[in-house]
Every structure is written in C-alpha cells, then in structure tokens.
Amino acid sequence: MSGKREQWASGHGFVLATIGAAVGLGNIWRFSYVAGENGGGAFLIIYLLCVVFVGASIVFAEMALGRQASGDAVAAFENSSPGSRWRYAGWVGVIGSFLILSYYSVIAGWALKYLVGGLTGILWLAAGEGFGGYFNRFISNPGEPVAWQMAMLAATMFVVAGGVQRGIEAINRILMPLLALFVVGLAAYAATLPGSGAGWRFLFVPDWSVLLQREVYIAALGQAFFSLGVGMAVFITYASYMTRETRIPLFGSAIIVGDTLFAIVAGLAIFPAVFAFGMNPEAGPQLAFITLPQMFLAMPGGEFVGPLFFALLVAAALTSMISLLEVPVASVVHRTRLNRWGATTVIGVAVFAVGIPSAMSFGLLSGIQISGRGLLDFIDQTVSNYVLPLAGILICVYVGWRWDRSTALSAADLAGKSVGLIWLWLLRLVAPAMILLILFDSTGAL
Ligand code: TRP
C-alpha cells in the first residue's frame, strides 16, 4: 500500500473531472445514434426519466460510498462491511470499467483517425468513393484500427500515470470548458442551416407511438447509465480523492445536469445538420462516422467544422477513458506494491490486448456474430443494457438498505434535509424497481 493518498486540489477540479468522466462518446456518438434509432423525442423523454429517477440517485450513492472509503472501489465496500461478500460488488466495477475501456478505446481511435484525416485533408479525398465505403474499408483493415486504439490508450495512460492532481485534474480543467464552448458553437452553427428545424422537431416533438416499443425503454435505460458513467465505480473512485468539505448534493447535481445538457446540445449539433442535408438519423453506430463527414463536406466551412467536431469527440473520449482507467489503476496501486506508473503500464497494456478483438470485430473477426451483432456491438449492448443496470442495483441495495438510514444520509451530506428522504426512497425503491421492470420487460419475461 502506498503512503499518503492523493486528493483533488479543489472541489472545482473534482467537478470538472467527474463531468469529464460523464461526458464522452456516450453523449455525442452514442446518444445521437441511439436517439436516432429509437425515434428521437419520445426516446428523449424516457431517457430523461431514467436519468432523474434511476441514474441520479445512484450517482449520489456512488459518491457517498467512495468518499468514506479513502481507498479503491473494493475498499469502498470493505470499509463499511469488513469481510463480507459485498467486496465483490467493488470488483464488478473494477473489472467492468476495464472491459468498457477495452472497446471504448477502439471507437475513440476511430475519432482520432477522423480528426487527423480531417486536419490533413485525407478524409475529404474519400468523398469520391463515398464515406460509407471509406469507413468500412478503415474498420475492416486488420491493423489500422488497432494502431489508433493504441494511440488513444497511450495518451490516456500518460495522463493517468501523471496522478490525480497533475494528470487527471489538470487535463480536465483545460478540456472541459473548451468542450462546452465547442459544442454550443456547433449547435448554433447547425441551427443556421436551412431545414435545420426538422432536427429540432425530431429531438423535441415526441412521436408517442414509439412508447409502445419495448426496446426503447431498455435502450434509454442503458444510455442513461452509460452516459452518466454510473455503475462501474468511476464516481466511487473519484470521490475517494475528495476532501471532506466537498458537498455531494451540489457536485452530484452539477454532473447530472452537465451530462444531460451536453447530450442534448450535442444532439442539437447533429440532428439539425442530419436533416438539413437530407440524411437518415437511423444510421446506427456509423452516424458520426459516415453521415457527418458527408454533411461536413456539403456545408460551407465544413473543412473547419469537421475537424472541430472530431477534436471534440476525441477530447470527450479521452477524459472518459481516463476515468475508466483510473478505476483499475487505483485498485492495483491500493492492493499491490506497484506504484502509479507501474500500475498504469500493466493495466494499460492489458486493456489494449483485451481490446484487440473489438478493434478487429469489423475486419478479420467480422465472422464472429453473437445474436446478430459483431463483437464490439455485442459487448457494448450487453454491458450498457444489462451489466451497468444490474451493478446499479447492487449500489442501491448496499447504500439504501445495508447502510442504515442515518449513515446513508450523512454520507451523502443529506442528513436533515427533506430531499434526503426523496433520495433515499429513490435509491431504495424507485430505482431498483424501474431497473428490474425494464430488464424483465425487455427480455420478454413480462
Ligand atoms: N460516460 C462516458 C460517456 O458518456 C463513458 C464512461 C465513463 C462510462 N465512465 C464510465 C460508462 C463508467 C459506464 C461506466 O462516454
């Protein structure tokens, strides 16, 4: 075990780092394609309900759990229940974030390739063959996606190895405000495009018939977990570097509001443009990589807006990857004699190796299909829609029921406040019930 544990330099730095964890590919790439596939406006409503009634209370619980730990994700459970099996709930987070990072880095690598391609102009040369062909040729290449994945992981490892204050906090302080500016600028630009109103309507005017489709509910729940970054001990770990003075309700709310606004504003950058150029919002995971370059090419100033968009995607991905890597690294530092550099190297290399099949899942390994999906898609859907919600239930039960009421309330800085009781009952009943209902319903069991 290492000596003195690191801490955030300030509450402000903690908030930016956690918003950095929450805002990522999930808000831009994943939100836009999942919302696109699931009908837009009606999906948005269910998504918001999932954020408010399920995700939010678990964010607070993870923070409460993490702050009292002053150790890794496993210690968060061990400290308050020594010797109990609850420590495995911590391991779920450690292994889960490792797994998410393994394929997340692949998509982050795609974004990096498009950024570099946009800046050098290589991307625009693909217009001739069509961006669909270009993208498919890229992701089916045996080596290239692996190389870009490696580049993103190397950058992530570099920051994490730098430590909590000088690595993670420092980079988030720079990138997060920039990111907010970028995305608002892009949305403002998209609003000026002729025909952009259809995109606003798509996102804000619900088509109620969508509510009859059961896949929409599980997609919204999974997206809420993924986008907030909840269920995989990221907030537990980040909160373990908090000082006692920081206030969980305030900081937790900032993250939830920030993440949600970010997804909506990103949607307002993407959908108006998609409609203005007569493209299909239901393009799926390829939306950001095929539809958008086409749009950038067609619009005035696209050579600049395009790289700006992909820079945004890369920056957002990086700060989330940092959070995902920090969870297992914190555990290794806490539990072995390795220092931060050593732990980062070992875990980073392992993540890379485990991610290679995902990177190849559109090329050499495209023959591997599990229930109709390629490897990367299958892992993403399974983790987001099932593993994250189930891990969320563990946190609900632990903080809501295993801790007594006053411990839980004071750990979350909610003692004596009326919202404290609302939080507690969301955590105890509403969130687990909604998760179970949606999971059972989507598997057809109801
Ligand atoms: N929230 C990030 C995104 O939207 C991804 C992420 C970071 C995440 N940490 C996580 C997802 C923990 C699930 C669990 O892109």
Side-chain angles (χ1 to χ4, degrees):
M1 267 219 241
S2 52
K4 195 172 173 304
R5 252 176 91 75
E6 288 194 81
Q7 284 196 330
W8 304 106
S10 65
H12 177 74
F14 166 76
V15 173
L16 287 178
T18 24
I19 294 185
V23 171
L25 293 170
N27 301 62
I28 307 170
W29 160 75
R30 203 175 189 282
F31 175 80
S32 58
Y33 99 70
V34 177
E37 279 183 341
N38 288 285
F43 168 86
L44 184 62
I45 294 176
I46 307 174
Y47 169 74
L48 291 176
L49 291 176
C50 289
V51 167
V52 173
F53 289 104
V54 184
S57 57
I58 306 180
V59 170
F60 291 117
E62 271 199 29
M63 289 189 173
L65 200 53
R67 191 178 51 185
Q68 51 85 40
S70 186
D72 67 338
V74 181
F77 291 92
E78 270 175 353
N79 268 11
S80 40
S81 304
S84 91
R85 290 210 190 95
W86 277 102
R87 65 177 179 279
Y88 297 116
W91 286 112
V92 170
V94 175
I95 295 163
S97 22
F98 180 98
L99 206 67
I100 294 179
L101 184 57
S102 74
Y103 72 84
Y104 197 93
S105 58
V106 172
I107 298 153
W110 299 353
L112 184 62
K113 170 174 166 98
Y114 273 60
L115 168 61
V116 173
L119 288 175
T120 56
I122 292 173
L123 178 61
W124 313 122
L125 299 179
E129 71 175 301
F131 290 108
Y134 176 76
F135 179 70
N136 286 324
R137 205 154 48 76
F138 162 53
I139 58 174
S140 60
N141 181 298
E144 235 203 302
V146 179
W148 293 103
Q149 170 209 9
M150 189 161 78
M152 283 304 290
L153 268 175
T156 309
M157 287 163 68
F158 183 74
V159 176
V160 170
V164 173
Q165 278 190 15
R166 289 191 320 152
I168 304 177
E169 188 167 348
I171 196 167
N172 276 291
R173 267 176 193 276
I174 301 170
L175 287 183
M176 294 319 292
L178 271 182
L179 215 57
L181 269 177
F182 272 20
V183 75
V184 171
L186 273 180
Y189 182 90
T192 66
L193 296 171
S196 61
W200 284 70
R201 279 194 294 281
F202 180 73
L203 205 52
F204 292 131
V205 181
D207 163 7
W208 298 110
S209 70
V210 169
L211 297 183
L212 296 175
Q213 299 166 11
R214 42 165 53 126
E215 317 84 67
V216 173
Y217 294 83
I218 185 102
L221 183 73
Q223 177 59 23
F225 270 91
F226 190 90
S227 179
L228 288 170
V230 79
M232 286 294 116
V234 164
F235 297 126
I236 297 182
T237 308
Y238 273 19
S240 75
Y241 305 123
M242 264 171 133
T243 51
R244 187 63 232 189
E245 308 86 76
T246 40
R247 284 161 298 168
I248 289 178
L250 183 70
F251 293 171
S253 315
I255 289 148
I256 292 150
V257 172
D259 184 70
T260 307
L261 278 181
F262 204 99
I264 294 175
V265 178
L268 288 178
I270 293 171
F271 290 117
V274 166
F275 282 90
F277 290 96
M279 293 178 176
N280 179 9
E282 293 174 34
Q286 310 169 329
L287 187 69
F289 295 97
I290 297 180
T291 315
L292 292 178
Q294 245 148 39
M295 175 187 93
F296 294 136
L297 191 75
M299 73 197 215
E303 322 81 295
F304 301 106
V305 182
L308 200 63
F309 172 82
F310 288 108
L312 181 79
L313 207 56
V314 168
L318 182 65
T319 53
S320 297
M321 288 173 68
I322 291 168
S323 74
L324 288 164
L325 183 57
E326 179 61 22
V327 175
V329 164
S331 279
V332 170
V333 170
H334 188 77
R335 276 157 212 288
T336 69
R337 307 179 59 150
L338 287 177
N339 63 13
R340 186 167 262 280
W341 271 94
T344 307
T345 311
V346 171
I347 302 278
V349 170
V351 168
F352 173 64
V354 171
I356 290 177
S358 288
M360 294 183 151
S361 66
F362 304 89
L364 289 181
L365 300 183
S366 61
I368 304 181
Q369 297 271 328
I370 310 168
S371 39
R373 292 180 185 274
L375 206 55
L376 186 150
D377 262 4
F378 176 77
I379 302 177
D380 177 45
Q381 295 287 324
T382 312
V383 169
S384 307
N385 294 356
Y386 300 97
V387 180
L388 293 180
L390 289 171
I393 291 187
L394 291 179
I395 294 167
C396 292
V397 172
Y398 190 77
V399 174
W401 294 105
R402 164 115 194 174
W403 276 3
D404 63 45
R405 178 189 176 113
S406 63
T407 311
L409 286 171
S410 68
D413 299 332
L414 283 167
K417 301 202 174 108
S418 48
V419 282
L421 286 184
I422 299 179
W423 168 68
L424 199 61
W425 287 102
L426 282 175
L427 198 64
R428 286 182 164 181
L429 280 186
V430 179
M434 273 178 72
I435 294 172
L436 289 177
L437 196 71
I438 293 176
L439 287 184
F440 279 118
D441 182 60
S442 73
T443 53
L446 289 186

